[in-house]
Amino acid sequence: MSVAALRLIRCRKLSTAGPPGVNKVLQWKDLRKVAKVTGAVILGGCLFITYEMVALEKAVTIDTSAVLQEKYKSYIYLKATPAAEKENLTAGLIYKARKELHKAARRFMEASSRLFLQSLDEHLSHVDADPHEVALWVLLKQTQSANKAIRLQAVQELADNHHWHAYQYQTAAQVIDQRTAVGLARTPHVDLRFFRQPPALPDLEDVCTTNEDIFWECLPNSNAKPSSQGTSVEEGLWQLLASLPQSEVDKCVQYFTSLALRESTQSMAAQRGGLWCFGGNGLPYAQSLTSVPSEKVESFCLQALVQHSKVQSHCDHIVAKGGLLLLQRIYQLRRDSPKIQRNIIRIIGNLALNESVHRDIVQSGWLSILAEMMQSPHVTQVSFAARALANLDRESVVEKYQDGVYILHPQTRNGQPVKADVLFIHGILGAAFKTWRQKDSSLQQEETEMESRSDYTECWPKSWLAEDCPNLRVLSVEYDSHLSDWMSKCPAENQRKSLAYRSQELLKKLKQAGVGERPVVWVAHSMGGLLVKKMLLDASEDPEMKGLLKNTRGVLFYSVPHHGTFMAEYSVNVRYLLFPSIEVRELCKDSPALSSLNESFVNIAKENDFKVMSFAESQATNVGPMIKIVVVPKQSADLGIGELVEVNVDHLNICKPEKKDSFLYKRSLQFIQEALQSFSSQ
């Protein structure tokens, strides 16, 4: 239109400036022709643009129904364009429109990235838009929703979708926050690519303190300082232990620290002299020619750190002194030592009881290690990692699991509410896992039953009971117990090994684990049964723990010496060979303390009307060369109330069912289900 106006002005000038005699009417006719041509061009252009827009609309379709169907998910559907159509103008416009849509999707992701205050993964700078790109970012956005239910569901969907591309896992690993990362680590069968790899470990010289003179002054009776040609792992552990507070701590913490420092110092001195030297504290440690001294030293130091990590005020010191990275280095170096690795994870689990160090644990890369350990085929490794992750997961776990309290089920987030608890308490020389393993078959049985051995379980409460009663929480409690003081790990702890002390200690731990807030069934073997009776009796006298007694629905005893055992008398009679510990002395036959405990327990069992069942052994047990004895006779295993079932097994195997369809397991399962009634049903 502007061109036509200029031509009109110019024509008017020509008409007024021309020579006389020119016909003005003819000039206006020419002007009308120009206007017609201009209008035709404009109209044609509008029609052409309209046609191209219609063609573009047919070629590109944005389907908004997916948004209504999936609610929070956003999918963009693009029709494929044949390569041959790119030769014409329409195909070119479609191609350009697709690029614009991809740019818009990328701008959306960049905005989301800024929301998370993280940099966008470099892979996205050259990757074309994918139908699931937006869905991934929407899920990541939902993990930070103010609604807890939405957050939990988003984490579950992230883990359940196994079709993300490799760069998407890397991008997600960069932007997920601590809460989401812990939730993913506690999700079954999660892809490990969601977790950032541990940072590169610095040289040990950087981890350790620089003032070594102060460190060596802290070592007791130390006259030998190792050469300064580099710092070993042992030196890093020594310096960490020496820097921790030693005043106002438990005597056993002081003992373990002193032992670790003394043994490691003498070991280093022996290595410098070409000798191996242990036993600086007077205890006998046998070393074979194939043993590795440094591994023994690390074991001493880690035992000391386990004790320090139980002291809340020491946890911040361990983290501040670079303990997390040092432990990670040892974990990587000792891949072939499950015992050392378990002690390290045990320390991490203790540190995780303090929320003030959660961020440090996550940032130091421990989540990827714990998530990997959760997929181990060994129940012990998984259970240690499950405890540490549960203590880190403040999103879905309210309880805190102290050292020695392990979750057998559920070890991950499963979305199924827990309706009741089953607690397993081992006996003398037992453990949280090995006591409850399946019965070991002889070599001849293994040869004839190779097919059935594929069903072998390291821990039947975790495998069998959890499968039959999935909405139960199954816990296993571990405590140190020894037949002799020679075997005690901490001599200063001897006076603390009575039933009374252990009862109070475990009650505090179980209270923090939330035991007593829902129906409970106790399962105990040998001395563990006496401990259960003492705990219930103490709970009845403590106003804060009466809920534990009120919610107890049943107690299952496996060969518990309610009236003592001849085994204890045997130990006392040969005390010049075997110094009996407090646990054994309390088990003497017809002990007044046991009689009083049993009478009190029978009374509270009748008052609270919970079920009781006892299994009794009938086979003798090998207790030494050429010595076999029935450890707990039927008369001692008889509580006086409830059902008594005699089983043709020895003392060690009475709590180890041979198969899932064996009488021992089926009857135990029946008792638990009857005690909990509807709580254990699916």
Side-chain angles (χ1 to χ4, degrees):
M1 293 301 293
S2 59
V3 175
L6 290 173
R7 292 179 63 86
L8 178 60
I9 294 172
R10 182 169 179 80
C11 289
R12 285 182 176 176
K13 289 181 179 180
L14 289 173
S15 62
T16 56
V22 177
N23 192 346
K24 294 181 180 180
V25 177
L26 292 177
Q27 291 178 357
W28 281 106
K29 287 181 179 181
D30 293 337
L31 185 61
R32 284 196 297 270
K33 290 180 181 180
V34 172
K36 288 179 180 181
V37 172
T38 305
V41 172
I42 294 172
L43 180 60
C46 291
L47 291 174
F48 178 79
I49 293 173
T50 303
Y51 168 79
E52 295 297 334
M53 292 300 295
V54 171
L56 179 62
E57 183 178 5
K58 291 180 179 180
V60 181
T61 303
I62 299 177
D63 189 354
T64 59
S65 63
V67 178
L68 298 176
Q69 294 174 1
E70 299 295 330
K71 292 184 178 180
Y72 297 101
K73 294 181 180 179
S74 300
Y75 294 95
I76 300 176
Y77 297 87
L78 302 176
K79 287 189 176 181
T81 303
E85 291 184 9
K86 292 183 180 179
E87 297 177 359
N88 54 47
L89 179 61
T90 303
L93 289 173
I94 294 173
Y95 180 74
K96 291 180 180 179
R98 186 183 179 191
K99 283 187 65 176
E100 292 300 322
L101 287 173
H102 292 179
K103 289 180 181 178
R106 174 167 173 78
R107 284 194 296 271
F108 170 76
M109 288 185 284
E110 287 175 341
S112 299
S113 180
R114 287 192 295 271
L115 261 171
F116 289 110
L117 301 178
Q118 296 284 347
S119 61
L120 191 63
D121 190 87
E122 290 300 325
H123 288 277
L124 294 178
S125 62
H126 57 78
V127 174
D128 216 22
D130 187 272
H132 294 287
E133 291 284 3
V134 179
L136 171 64
W137 284 93
V138 169
L139 286 176
L140 292 174
K141 175 77 172 174
Q142 289 176 7
T143 60
Q144 297 194 11
S145 170
N147 189 318
K148 181 178 178 179
I150 294 178
R151 295 198 302 267
L152 294 176
Q153 181 62 28
V155 171
Q156 186 66 48
E157 289 187 26
L158 273 175
D160 288 344
N161 192 328
H162 298 284
H163 299 94
W164 306 119
H165 298 300
Y167 72 87
Q168 290 176 301
Y169 284 111
Q170 295 173 9
T171 304
Q174 292 181 18
V175 301
I176 57 177
D177 60 358
Q178 172 182 315
R179 181 175 58 194
T180 303
V182 173
L184 287 170
R186 295 196 70 236
T187 304
H189 312 298
V190 67
D191 195 304
L192 298 180
R193 289 176 291 179
F194 272 120
F195 308 100
R196 281 178 286 185
Q197 292 300 311
L201 297 177
D203 293 336
L204 284 171
E205 288 85 349
D206 299 330
V207 176
C208 303
T209 58
T210 55
N211 194 342
E212 295 185 5
D213 293 331
I214 297 178
F215 160 65
W216 285 100
E217 290 175 2
C218 297
L219 295 180
N221 303 324
S222 173
N223 297 319
K225 179 178 178 180
S227 64
S228 58
Q229 298 176 356
T231 308
S232 65
V233 170
E234 298 99 287
E235 289 180 64
L237 283 171
W238 299 337
Q239 295 190 29
L240 177 59
L241 284 175
S243 67
L244 294 174
Q246 299 297 322
S247 59
E248 298 182 3
V249 295
D250 187 90
K251 289 184 178 179
C252 279
V253 176
Q254 295 178 0
Y255 167 79
F256 275 102
T257 303
S258 175
L259 171 64
L261 293 176
R262 186 182 301 119
E263 293 297 333
S264 56
T265 305
Q266 294 189 12
S267 172
M268 179 59 72
Q271 289 183 48
R272 292 177 64 202
L275 299 174
W276 293 353
C277 178
F278 290 92
N281 63 327
L283 295 179
Y285 291 99
Q287 283 293 322
S288 66
L289 294 178
T290 59
S291 298
V292 181
S294 59
E295 187 171 344
K296 176 65 72 174
V297 172
E298 291 166 17
S299 180
F300 286 142
C301 294
L302 290 175
Q303 288 181 42
L305 278 179
V306 166
Q307 302 303 320
H308 276 281
S309 65
K310 295 179 184 179
V311 184
Q312 184 175 357
S313 60
H314 290 196
C315 294
D316 291 331
H317 287 277
I318 294 175
V319 173
K321 297 297 182 180
L324 290 172
L325 292 178
L326 182 60
L327 290 172
Q328 196 173 119
R329 179 182 293 278
I330 301 171
Y331 183 91
Q332 301 296 344
L333 290 175
R334 298 302 180 190
R335 285 282 186 179
D336 58 342
S337 178
K339 181 179 179 180
I340 285 184
Q341 290 197 333
R342 285 197 298 269
N343 269 334
I344 292 175
I345 300 301
R346 186 179 172 189
I347 295 171
I348 299 300
N350 291 343
L351 294 176
L353 289 167
N354 307 279
E355 296 186 36
S356 61
V357 301
H358 282 191
R359 184 179 181 85
D360 298 283
I361 294 174
V362 174
Q363 289 185 342
S364 59
W366 276 104
L367 275 186
S368 61
I369 297 175
L370 294 174
E372 181 183 5
M373 184 174 281
M374 285 292 293
Q375 299 180 11
S376 169
H378 302 293
V379 61
T380 308
Q381 308 290 90
V382 174
S383 299
F384 274 65
R387 171 181 168 256
L389 286 172
N391 287 336
L392 287 171
D393 188 6
R394 297 298 91 193
E395 173 83 336
S396 63
V397 180
V398 178
E399 304 83 6
K400 290 187 176 182
Y401 298 93
Q402 294 284 340
D403 189 55
V405 180
Y406 298 100
I407 320 166
L408 300 183
H409 176 79
Q411 294 183 328
T412 57
R413 291 184 181 180
N414 59 5
Q416 193 167 17
V418 175
K419 297 184 178 180
D421 291 335
V422 180
L423 269 68
F424 287 81
I425 315 292
H426 64 78
I428 291 180
L429 294 182
F433 308 104
K434 73 174 185 179
T435 295
W436 312 107
R437 68 182 184 272
Q438 186 177 346
K439 181 180 179 182
D440 297 325
S441 299
S442 63
L443 294 177
Q444 184 177 1
Q445 287 177 320
E446 289 183 357
E447 292 176 359
T448 58
E449 300 178 5
M450 287 300 293
E451 295 182 1
S452 63
R453 299 307 292 168
S454 61
D455 298 329
Y456 180 83
T457 175
E458 294 181 87
C459 184
W460 62 264
K462 178 183 183 298
S463 303
W464 299 347
L465 183 60
E467 181 181 356
D468 292 329
C469 304
N471 53 8
L472 296 182
R473 182 177 64 158
V474 183
L475 301 178
S476 185
V477 178
E478 187 168 74
Y479 59 94
D480 291 333
S481 62
H482 306 280
L483 289 172
S484 167
D485 289 342
W486 279 116
M487 302 171 63
S488 177
K489 294 183 179 179
C490 176
E493 194 182 41
N494 289 339
Q495 70 277 10
R496 305 178 357 175
K497 290 184 177 178
S498 64
L499 286 175
Y501 181 88
R502 293 213 180 277
S503 172
Q504 293 296 326
E505 183 182 47
L506 290 181
L507 280 176
K508 293 177 183 178
K509 293 183 177 182
L510 294 179
K511 183 178 179 180
Q512 282 198 301
V515 176
E517 298 176 2
R518 55 177 72 94
V520 183
V521 169
W522 304 78
V523 182
H525 174 239
S526 190
M527 194 193 78
L530 303 180
L531 188 54
V532 169
K533 293 196 297 183
K534 181 60 176 173
M535 283 192 289
L536 291 176
L537 184 60
D538 289 345
S540 67
E541 300 172 354
D542 186 352
E544 295 183 359
M545 298 297 297
K546 284 190 175 180
L548 178 62
L549 180 61
K550 182 180 179 181
N551 281 321
T552 295
R553 295 290 188 267
V555 183
L556 179 59
F557 296 110
Y558 289 106
S559 283
V560 175
H562 300 292
H563 306 288
T565 172
F566 291 107
M567 182 67 182
E569 295 180 359
Y570 172 81
S571 298
V572 172
N573 292 334
V574 292
R575 60 169 52 94
Y576 62 94
L577 292 177
L578 181 67
F579 294 99
S581 63
I582 291 178
E583 294 102 319
V584 176
R585 292 198 294 269
E586 288 183 331
L587 298 181
C588 289
K589 187 176 182 295
D590 298 326
S591 164
L594 287 184
S595 299
S596 176
L597 175 63
N598 193 64
E599 183 179 351
S600 300
F601 175 77
V602 170
N603 291 334
I604 64 173
K606 292 178 178 178
E607 291 174 4
N608 292 273
D609 192 28
F610 53 75
K611 290 180 173 293
V612 176
M613 181 178 177
S614 301
F615 286 103
E617 65 198 67
S618 61
Q619 288 187 5
T621 304
N622 288 319
V623 296
M626 307 297 292
I627 301 177
K628 298 185 74 172
I629 186 174
V630 177
V631 179
V632 181
K634 180 180 178 180
Q635 296 79 7
S636 183
D638 188 359
L639 180 63
I641 59 172
E643 183 180 2
L644 177 65
V645 179
E646 192 172 7
V647 187
N648 189 29
V649 292
D650 60 22
H651 185 73
L652 297 178
N653 288 311
I654 196 167
C655 57
K656 301 175 178 62
E658 189 173 1
K659 298 178 182 178
K660 188 176 181 181
D661 59 356
S662 65
F663 167 78
L664 193 60
Y665 172 73
K666 292 174 69 174
R667 188 65 187 89
S668 301
L669 175 63
Q670 180 184 353
F671 172 83
I672 294 173
Q673 291 177 331
E674 289 176 352
L676 295 174
Q677 297 178 357
S678 60
F679 296 107
S680 61
S681 62
Q682 298 184 12

